[in-house]
Amino acid sequence: MKTKLLRADEPEAVAEAADLLRHGHLVVFPTDTLYGVGADAFNEAAVDRLYQAKQRDLAKGIPILLADVADLDRVVAEVTAEAGWLIERFWPGPLTLVLPKSDRLPANLSPNEGVAVRIPDHEIARQVIRAAGGAVATSSANVSGRPPARTVQEAMVALAGVVAAVLDGGPAERGVASTVLDCTVRPPRLLRAGPVDIDGQD
């Protein structure tokens, strides 16, 4: 497969990236943390391709990026009071929450009853996600076990030939992965430290 390089500042680039996602292809795009490689969150075959492209262990679920809070009820079954407060305080931003998974999602998206979700604080990412239907299964743009891509050049080195397109939106703003908090347990449990300090409420 030849990977097409799209520039986010060119007319129709975002629409083309979103159209590829809607048709089951994999697309790399920038976020506020790192570059991510995405697939239609409701397309089981596309999610399978995402695991294959990353050589990712099937026991590790794929997070979902949303464009808007209004799309949350499409992918999760419940939002706890704690999660609601965190969403209001930290979204959009680099905080991923694990919430009870909606039964509308394909089973291969995660191996358990939870799904990781966030809204990135990145306008290009949200434009792509919104145009693609509002929910994109997204993992860091790299082969599992290797450094995540912070630039379009790193993303191309990692995934050229296995994704349909890479959308160039400049270097990732933070260059580090999001904080991950499991809200399926009480109290919520920190799974991965990152830019958001829950205790300090940064």
Side-chain angles (χ1 to χ4, degrees):
M1 174 188 295
K2 184 174 181 180
T3 298
K4 186 170 184 178
L5 181 60
L6 305 171
R7 286 179 50 113
D9 58 356
E10 292 179 347
E12 304 304 320
V14 166
E16 184 173 350
D19 186 63
L20 288 167
L21 286 165
R22 287 196 306 272
H23 284 85
H25 297 288
L26 304 184
V27 173
V28 171
F29 57 94
T31 79
D32 52 341
T33 54
L34 298 161
Y35 268 77
V37 53
D40 179 354
F42 295 95
N43 184 327
E44 185 173 10
V47 173
D48 267 341
R49 283 191 283 276
L50 182 50
Y51 277 106
Q52 292 164 11
K54 284 183 57 72
Q55 302 173 33
R56 185 177 177 88
D57 187 341
L58 294 176
K60 297 180 178 180
I62 302 288
I64 294 177
L65 294 186
L66 302 176
D68 303 287
V69 173
D71 292 312
L72 189 59
D73 63 0
R74 298 175 58 213
V75 300
V76 306
E78 178 188 3
V79 178
T80 64
E82 294 95 336
W85 181 87
L86 290 163
I87 287 167
E88 185 175 345
R89 174 68 179 82
F90 293 108
W91 282 8
L95 176 64
T96 297
L97 301 178
V98 179
L99 296 166
K101 180 172 60 177
S102 168
D103 58 12
R104 287 177 284 187
L105 292 171
N108 62 344
L109 199 61
S110 74
N112 51 49
E113 298 305 309
V115 63
V117 186
R118 82 179 182 98
I119 296 178
D121 188 14
H122 194 283
E123 188 56 35
I124 293 170
R126 292 175 72 187
Q127 287 175 8
V128 171
I129 296 162
R130 191 176 293 119
V136 176
T138 308
S139 184
S140 55
N142 62 301
V143 172
S144 292
R146 298 181 185 173
R150 296 165 296 176
T151 66
V152 71
Q153 292 82 6
E154 291 174 354
M156 287 292 286
V157 168
L159 295 173
V162 295
V163 301
V166 174
L167 182 63
D168 183 359
E173 295 170 11
R174 294 180 181 272
V176 294
S178 65
T179 302
V180 181
L181 198 63
D182 185 355
C183 291
T184 66
V185 296
R186 297 187 68 182
R189 182 172 69 241
L190 182 68
L191 299 182
R192 182 176 70 199
V196 174
D197 178 1
I198 300 300
D199 292 331
Q201 298 183 27
D202 288 342

